[in-house]
Amino acid sequence: MEELTTDDAPESIGPYSQGIASGDRIYVSGQGPVDPDTGEVIQGTPGEQTRRTLQNVAAVLQAGGASLDDVVKATVFVKDMRYYDEVNEVYGELMSPPYPARSAVEVVKLPVDIDVEIEVVAEQ
């Protein structure tokens, strides 16, 4: 197991790694719409938050030598399914076919006050 860290994604807020490379897989911990330079949650629509979130995911993947194109499984956590179409639109812009397998789950609360969090598994 190799820990993946980058200054281009927010620091972990608990006892977990930004990402782990293990064998031919990269596991990226849940990322949210946090500006890695300021450590602040970006203000914006759920779509804008999704874009920042996926940029953070991409930064962790890059630290492991991969990209969003290498994602095989994604889990999307949204605070309200009313945001689903907006999140899905931005997700579809940044991910490429064949799209990864994916789950989308509405959650009551996330560790930080955000509208979306995404975790992924990628192949190197």
Side-chain angles (χ1 to χ4, degrees):
M1 230 176 31
E2 175 191 349
E3 182 179 25
L4 303 176
T5 61
T6 178
D7 291 335
D8 295 328
E11 292 182 14
S12 299
I13 60 171
Y16 59 90
S17 301
Q18 288 175 315
I20 292 289
S22 179
D24 64 349
R25 301 267 188 218
I26 294 175
Y27 302 86
V28 177
S29 293
Q31 296 292 313
V34 176
D35 182 323
D37 294 329
T38 66
E40 299 293 321
V41 173
I42 66 152
Q43 298 304 308
T45 66
E48 291 165 335
Q49 287 193 16
T50 300
R51 186 172 307 282
R52 176 75 255 178
T53 297
L54 284 172
Q55 289 168 341
N56 292 338
V57 168
V60 178
L61 289 169
Q62 185 176 15
S67 73
L68 291 175
D69 292 337
D70 300 309
V71 173
V72 295
K73 172 68 171 90
T75 305
V76 178
F77 303 94
V78 294
K79 226 159 102 170
D80 192 319
M81 276 298 177
R82 289 179 300 158
Y83 307 147
Y84 182 78
D85 289 340
E86 187 175 347
V87 168
N88 214 31
E89 183 177 330
V90 174
Y91 180 95
E93 290 173 15
L94 297 178
M95 304 300 276
S96 58
Y99 296 109
R102 186 182 84 179
S103 301
V105 181
E106 181 180 60
V107 295
V108 172
K109 190 173 182 181
L110 291 161
V112 179
D113 188 21
I114 55 178
D115 294 324
V116 62
E117 180 176 327
I118 299 173
E119 65 181 22
V120 302
V121 177
E123 274 188 349
Q124 288 180 304

